[in-house]
Amino acid sequence: MPTSHPFLLYGATGYTGRLLARAAKERGLRPILGGRDEARLAALASELGLEYRVARLDAGLDEALRDVAAVLHVAGPFSKTFRPMVEACLRTATHYLDLSGEPLSIEGVFQHHMEARRRGVMLMPGVGFDVVPSDCLALHLSRRLRGARRLKLGISGLDQVSRGSFRTLADNAGLPSHIRRDGRIREIVSGSLQHEFDFGTGPRQGLVVSWGDVSAAYYSTGIPDIEVYWDSTPPLWMMVMANRWAGGLLATPLSRFMLEVHARVLPEGPTSAERARCQGVIVAEVEDAAGRRLRGRLRTPEVYGFSCTTGLAILERVLAGDLEIGAQTPARVYGPDFVLSLPGVFREEL
């Protein structure tokens, strides 16, 4: 199937969706823009010379997915949006990709593995910055240290967040963080675990967070104990500590309303100049039962632009027929060195 075959970009009018739409056109792709707001879709489609289709998640998805091979789903929070889109893709035999970084959402996609195999469909969540580079680094190290039982990942470069990303964080306010123990996802108090990582400027403290690799890395590597940490910048520290000590208050309807009000006045996302000053850094540490450890570090371009690069690179492979049916992870299908084929990526072992 030629890579020029149209695909549906659902959530096209959001911050990341618009970045993806423009990047796709620059790569010679012609996405069909999808979403629920016809006025915004029509304006973006007119600007880019693309087709658009209006569909809500509770109505019209099957019709929107007609005659497309794949959907790139970028409308979050994915905890609220992944299920209707996955179910529509299974009904219409459409391959499903998304940019989710939420472990429970990724886990939910994997619950449809057997049905996806019966339908001949690939479901691949996490094709953006989360989880492509971390997934590839984790699989690379796990193959170097056979029998690894523990994986710790540190993520840096998330200083700038879009309005949509803030809404996802707000949606999880007051909720516990997630880690994996003995192969099972478990809840822990936010901020209750810390670990040092060297992101390239010396040791820095990381705070445990819920991140997609808690789910995806398990399916890629089989490692039963997985924790993910963010570089503890001052804003993150304040947010995690507020969640830890006032979690119950943050989960009340009034607090969620106030967080939504705050989201509405935020800039829609970092400017191109702000993004140009940033980069993503991922550090992974694997350990086996004997205590032997191996560490690696991966550098990427800034996270929003890089999510466009990874998502569209995987989409092109899917449209060309390079895929495996069932629920899959990026590293498992495309290998640990896939990320090194993308511009601006550097990997080193520590």
Side-chain angles (χ1 to χ4, degrees):
M1 184 179 298
T3 57
S4 60
H5 191 91
F7 65 96
L8 183 70
L9 175 62
Y10 190 84
T13 60
Y15 175 77
T16 303
R18 293 201 310 276
L19 290 179
L20 274 162
R22 295 186 175 101
K25 185 174 181 182
E26 289 174 2
R27 294 173 77 112
L29 298 168
R30 294 195 61 79
I32 298 170
L33 308 182
R36 62 183 182 179
D37 188 324
E38 183 167 10
R40 296 179 68 190
L41 280 171
L44 182 61
S46 177
E47 174 193 338
L48 298 178
L50 297 172
E51 180 184 347
Y52 73 90
R53 294 176 183 175
V54 181
R56 300 195 315 271
L57 288 166
D58 60 351
L61 281 182
D62 289 25
E63 177 64 17
L65 292 171
R66 73 182 189 277
D67 67 28
V68 299
V71 59
L72 180 52
H73 177 48
V74 300
F78 293 94
S79 59
K80 298 179 179 178
T81 66
F82 86 89
R83 195 173 303 278
M85 184 61 78
V86 165
E87 291 173 351
C89 285
L90 292 171
R91 289 193 300 270
T92 59
T94 304
H95 301 302
Y96 171 91
L97 308 174
D98 76 27
L99 295 186
S100 178
E102 305 166 35
L104 298 187
S105 299
I106 293 175
E107 200 72 14
V109 173
F110 271 81
Q111 291 174 0
H112 294 82
H113 173 68
M114 294 308 298
E115 185 178 359
R117 288 185 60 81
R118 288 194 297 270
R119 301 275 184 167
V121 168
M122 184 173 81
L123 309 175
M124 183 176 285
V127 300
F129 178 78
D130 187 16
V131 297
V132 171
S134 45
D135 194 39
C136 288
L137 182 59
L139 183 57
H140 169 71
L141 293 178
S142 71
R143 289 183 175 178
R144 295 290 308 277
L145 185 65
R146 297 291 182 177
R149 300 286 302 171
R150 286 172 288 277
L151 167 66
K152 289 184 173 69
L153 285 163
I155 315 289
S156 182
L158 302 171
D159 302 0
Q160 303 282 342
V161 298
S162 70
R163 188 184 300 163
S165 297
F166 180 85
R167 282 195 168 109
T168 298
L169 293 172
D171 198 53
N172 289 288
L175 301 179
S177 294
H178 295 92
I179 62 173
R180 193 176 284 271
R181 284 286 185 272
D182 299 321
R184 298 174 63 86
I185 292 182
R186 303 184 186 276
E187 295 181 349
I188 63 168
V189 175
S190 295
S192 59
L193 292 179
Q194 301 178 29
H195 190 74
E196 277 193 351
F197 297 91
D198 185 352
F199 297 106
T201 58
R204 289 182 58 87
Q205 201 70 21
L207 294 172
V208 71
V209 293
S210 291
W211 193 246
D213 295 278
V214 171
S215 177
Y218 175 70
Y219 294 106
S220 295
T221 69
I223 294 175
D225 292 357
I226 301 173
E227 300 164 7
V228 184
Y229 298 79
W230 281 358
D231 183 10
S232 58
T233 59
L236 174 65
W237 181 272
M238 293 175 62
M239 181 183 69
V240 171
M241 289 302 106
N243 202 35
R244 179 176 182 181
W245 300 114
L249 294 174
L250 292 174
T252 63
L254 177 60
S255 292
R256 291 192 179 280
F257 172 75
M258 295 303 295
L259 288 169
E260 174 58 26
V261 170
H262 182 60
R264 291 176 185 175
V265 301
L266 286 174
E268 194 161 19
T271 65
S272 57
E274 289 171 332
R275 290 191 289 110
R277 294 194 294 267
C278 299
Q279 68 170 348
V281 183
I282 297 166
V283 177
E285 176 185 297
V286 293
E287 183 179 352
D288 66 12
R292 289 174 295 202
R293 295 180 183 176
L294 189 63
R295 296 182 181 90
R297 184 164 55 215
L298 192 75
R299 299 181 183 276
T300 76
E302 66 82 25
V303 301
Y304 287 100
F306 193 61
S307 288
C308 296
T309 300
T310 56
L312 293 174
I314 289 176
L315 178 78
E316 287 176 328
R317 293 198 175 205
V318 171
L319 295 180
D322 181 7
L323 55 89
E324 293 185 27
I325 62 172
Q328 305 291 349
T329 64
R332 184 187 177 281
V333 175
Y334 301 115
D337 293 339
F338 165 71
V339 71
L340 299 181
S341 69
L342 305 174
V345 179
F346 305 93
R347 185 179 69 198
E348 58 184 323
E349 291 185 10
L350 305 179

